C-alpha cells in the first residue's frame, strides 16, 4: 500500500507519512509510568488523536488499556449520573476486552464487574467508581484510562461529578488503586470546561481537576521534523526536491501546526505532483508550497469552520485579532487575560517575544480574507466601485506598478478635499489605510494570488505586504509619512528587505497628511534597488 499524507483522524506510520514522534512519546510515557493524571489540551487537528494512539501502542502489554472517546456518546448519556454510569461501565467492559490480552483472572474480574452492572439500573457515579476500584485492583496489571474528545461533555454537570470522583480516587490511591494513570484530551482545558458549565465568577475557576500534571510537551512540528517526514517521502518518490528549502517554506507558512503541515504536503503530492493540477514547474519547491497555501486559504475546511464559529462566539477576541492585523496594536501576552487565553486555547494566538501574535501565516491570511470579505461586501453594497482586475494582468502576469498607480487614484477619490488634514488623519486611523489597500489588492489577486503581512514590521509606523502571484513575489511597504528623514530611513529599510528576498524592485506606499504634500508615483534608487514610491 502506498503511503499518503493524512489530515483526518489518527495517523498510522504504516499507511501515512508522519513526523517522528519518538522523542515526544518518551516524555508522555514518562508521565504514564509515574502515574500522572494529565490533560492534552491542544487546538483542533493538532495531533491529539494521533498522540493518544501512539501512547496506547507504546503501553500495550505493560498496562490494561481503556481507551475511549466521548465523541461516540449521545447527549442522553449525560442526562444524569445513572445514565452516564451505565453507559460508561458498558463501554469500559468492551474496551478492556477488545484492547488487551487478558489472563483468566482478568476475564473473571471483568465478568464480575459486568454482572454487577447488568443487575442494576440505578448505578450512580460514586457507586460506579467503587466498583471500578474493585475491578482495577483485581486486574493483573495497572490500568490506564484514556478519553479523547472530552469537550463533548463540556456542558454537562455529570462530568463534574465524574472529575470529582477521579480526584478522590487519585488522592486515596495509596490505599486502593483504581486507574494508575488518566489521560484526557480535548480543546478546552478543565478550567474552561468548568467555565462553560458554571459561568458565574465564584465558580468558574473552581475545578475538581487540580490534581493534573501540566502537559508541557510541544506537539507542533519544527523544521527538522518536517524535513524528516519529507526525507521518507523523497526515498519513495525520488522527486529531487531541496529538502531544506521545502521544509523551511512549509514551516514559515504553518509554524508547525500539524494539520496545516500535512495539508500542504497532501495538496502538493495529490494535486500538484501526481495530477499536475497547477501552473507550477516544480511542485516540491517553495513555489509549490505557496500554491498549496493558496489553495488552503481559498477553500473551506473544518479548521476554518471552527475558527469562524469561535470568532462569532467571542466578539472581543475577534476585535482583538482585527486590531492586531489592521491597526498594528501590540498586546502584551498575559495568559490570564480572557481573550488571550481563549485565543491561545483555540490555536489562533501565540506568545511571540511576550507579545500576542496570530499563530501562523496561513491563519493570518485566512483571517485577513475573512474580515476583508465582510468589509468589501459592505463597501460594494454601498455602491463603491470595484476594481477591474483584468486591466492589471498582462500576459498572465500581475503588473504591480499599475496596481499601485491605480490605487493612488482610487484613494484620492475617497479623499474629501473639504476635510482638514487633522480630520483626514483621524479618518485614516478609523478606516485604516492599510485595510483600504488590502481590500483593493484582494479584489485584484483574489482566486490567483496569495498575500501575507510580515509580522516583524507590522506596527503603527510601517507594514510590509508580501504578494505571491504565479511564482512571482512582490514586496510592498506601507507607512505613514513622518518627514523626509524618516522616509529616507524607510527607503533604506525596504532596500535591505529586498536583499533578504533577493529582489531588485520593491514598492512603497506612503500616506502623507501634510498640507503641502506632493502626491504621485516616483521612482527611487537605493543601493542598486528600484523603489516605486506612491504618495497619497
Amino acid at each position: 500500500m502506498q503511503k499518503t499524507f493524512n489530515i483526518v483522524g489518527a495517523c498510522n506510520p504504516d499507511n501515512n507519512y508522519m513526523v517522528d514522534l519518538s522523542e515526544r512519546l518518551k516524555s508522555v510515557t514518562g508521565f504514564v509510568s509515574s502515574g500522572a493524571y494529565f490533560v492534552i489540551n491542544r487546538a483542533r487537528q493538532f495531533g491529539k488523536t494521533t498522540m493518544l494512539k501512539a501512547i496506547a501502542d507504546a503501553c500495550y502489554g505493560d498496562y490494561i488499556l481503556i481507551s475511549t472517546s466521548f465523541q461516540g456518546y449521545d447527549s442522553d448519556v449525560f442526562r444524569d449520573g445513572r445514565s452516564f454510569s451505565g453507559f460508561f461501565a458498558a463501554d469500559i467492559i468492551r474496551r478492556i476486552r477488545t484492547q488487551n490480552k487478558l489472563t483468566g483472572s482478568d476475564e473473571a474480574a471483568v465478568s464480575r464487574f459486568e454482572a454487577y452492572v447488568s443487575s442494576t439500573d440505578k448505578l450512580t457515579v460514586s457507586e460506579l467508581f467503587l466498583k471500578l476500584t474493585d475491578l482495577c485492583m483485581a486486574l493483573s496489571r495497572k490500568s490506564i484510562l484514556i478519553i479523547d474528545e472530552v469537550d463533548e461533555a463540556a456542558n454537562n454537570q455529570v462530568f463534574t461529578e465524574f472529575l470529582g470522583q477521579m480526584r478522590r480516587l487519585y488522592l486515596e490511591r495509596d490505599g486502593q488503586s483504581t486507574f494508575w494513570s488518566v489521560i484526557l484530551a480535548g480543546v478546552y482545558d478543565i478550567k474552561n470546561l468548568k467555565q462553560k458549565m458554571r459561568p458565574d465568577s465564584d465558580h468558574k475557576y473552581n475545578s475538581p481537576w487540580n490534581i493534573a500534571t501540566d502537559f508541557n510537551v510541544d506537539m507542533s512540528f519544527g523544521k527538522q521534523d518536517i524535513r524528516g517526514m519529507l526525507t521518507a517521502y523523497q526515498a519513495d518518490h525520488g522527486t529531487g526536491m531541496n529538502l531544506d528549502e521545502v521544509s523551511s517554506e512549509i514551516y514559515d507558512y504553518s509554524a508547525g501546526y500539524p494539520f496545516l503541515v500535512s495539508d500542504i504536503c497532501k495538496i502538493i503530492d495529490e494535486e500538484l505532483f501526481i495530477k499536475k493540477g497547477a501552473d507550477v514547474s516544480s511542485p516540491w519547491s517553495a513555489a509549490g508550497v505557496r500554491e498549496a497555501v493558496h489553495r488552503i486559504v481559498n477553500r473551506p475546511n473544518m479548521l476554518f469552520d471552527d475558527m469562524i464559529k469561535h470568532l462569532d462566539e467571542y466578539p472581543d477576541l475577534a476585535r482583538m485579532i482585527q486590531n492586531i492585523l489592521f491597526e498594528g496594536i501590540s498586546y502584551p501576552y498575559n495568559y490570564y487575560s480572557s481573550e488571550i487565553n481563549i485565543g491561545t486555547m483555540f490555536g489562533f494566538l501565540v506568545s511571540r517575544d511576550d507579545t500576542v501574535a496570530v499563530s501562523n501565516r496561513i491563519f493570518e491570511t485566512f483571517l485577513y480574507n475573512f474580515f476583508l470579505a465582510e468589509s468589501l461586501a459592505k463597501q460594494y453594497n454601498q455602491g463603491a466601485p470595484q476594481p477591474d482586475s483584468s486591466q492589471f494582468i498582462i500576459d498572465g502576469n500581475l503588473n504591480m506598478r499599475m496596481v499601485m498607480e491605480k490605487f493612488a487614484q482610487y484613494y484620492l477619490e475617497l479623499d474629501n478635499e473639504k476635510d482638514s488634514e487633522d480630520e483626514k488623519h483621524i479618518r485614516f486611523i478609523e478606516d485604516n489605510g492599510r485595510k483600504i489597500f488590502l481590500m483593493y489588492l484582494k479584489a485584484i489577486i483574489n482566486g490567483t494570488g496569495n498575500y501575507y503581512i510580515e509580522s516583524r514590521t507590522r506596527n503603527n509606523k510601517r507594514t510590509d505586504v508580501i504578494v505571491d502571484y504565479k511564482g512571482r513575489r512582490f514586496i510592498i511597504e506601507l507607512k505613514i509619512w513622518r518627514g523626509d528623514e524618516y522616509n529616507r530611513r524607510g527607503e533604506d529599510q525596504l532596500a535591505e528587505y529586498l536583499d533578504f528576498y533577493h529582489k531588485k524592485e520593491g514598492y512603497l506606499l506612503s500616506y502623507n497628511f501634510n498640507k503641502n504634500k506632493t502626491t504621485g508615483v516616483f521612482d527611487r534608487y537605493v543601493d542598486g534597488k528600484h523603489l516605486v514610491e506612491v504618495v497619497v
Side-chain angles (χ1 to χ4, degrees), residues 271-307:
E271 299 180 26
L272 310 187
F273 181 62
I274 295 177
K275 297 180 180 179
K276 307 295 183 185
D279 184 19
V280 179
S281 58
S282 178
W284 284 105
S285 64
V289 172
R290 292 194 290 269
E291 173 61 24
V293 168
H294 171 75
R295 296 186 181 206
I296 290 172
V297 298
N298 284 286
R299 61 193 186 193
N301 63 54
M302 292 181 64
L303 193 57
F304 292 161
D305 291 345
D306 271 352
M307 189 175 289

Side-chain angles (χ1 to χ4, degrees), residues 366-383:
F366 173 76
L367 289 165
Y368 272 117
N369 286 347
F370 173 70
F371 292 128
L372 289 175
E374 290 187 326
S375 297
L376 281 168
K378 181 179 179 180
Q379 186 183 80
Y380 295 152
N381 286 338
Q382 293 174 346

Side-chain angles (χ1 to χ4, degrees), residues 511-522:
Y511 294 94
N512 192 331
F513 303 102
N514 294 338
K515 291 182 178 180
N516 299 321
K517 66 184 177 183
T518 301
T519 62
V521 181
F522 308 93

Side-chain angles (χ1 to χ4, degrees), residues 477-519:
E477 179 178 317
L478 281 61
K479 65 182 182 65
I480 299 175
W481 182 281
R482 299 179 188 272
D484 291 336
E485 181 60 31
Y486 178 82
N487 195 59
R488 281 192 291 272
R489 290 200 303 270
E491 292 173 352
D492 291 339
Q493 288 173 333
L494 179 56
E496 291 175 5
Y497 203 46
L498 291 173
D499 268 337
F500 177 80
Y501 278 98
H502 309 293
K503 295 293 179 183
K504 294 292 186 182
E505 185 173 81
Y507 302 85
L508 189 60
L509 176 58
S510 298
Y511 294 94
N512 192 331
F513 303 102
N514 294 338
K515 291 182 178 180
N516 299 321
K517 66 184 177 183
T518 301
T519 62

Side-chain angles (χ1 to χ4, degrees), residues 401-437:
R401 184 185 182 102
M402 184 181 292
V403 171
M404 303 299 290
E405 290 173 346
K406 293 292 185 182
F407 175 74
Q409 297 175 18
Y410 171 79
Y411 187 80
L412 290 174
E413 289 173 4
L414 296 178
D415 202 8
N416 186 343
E417 293 300 333
K418 295 179 181 180
D419 289 345
S420 69
E421 296 303 324
D422 287 343
E423 288 171 333
K424 291 174 185 177
H425 197 175
I426 291 170
R427 191 175 67 249
F428 173 84
I429 297 300
E430 291 175 345
D431 294 343
N432 199 298
R434 296 168 191 153
K435 189 174 184 179
I436 294 170
F437 175 74

Side-chain angles (χ1 to χ4, degrees), residues 388-394 398-409 440 444 507 521 532 534:
D388 177 14
S389 60
S390 63
Q391 66 179 308
F392 303 105
I393 311 303
I394 300 174
L398 179 65
N399 187 327
M400 184 57 73
R401 184 185 182 102
M402 184 181 292
V403 171
M404 303 299 290
E405 290 173 346
K406 293 292 185 182
F407 175 74
Q409 297 175 18
Y440 188 85
I444 295 169
Y507 302 85
V521 181
V532 179
V534 176

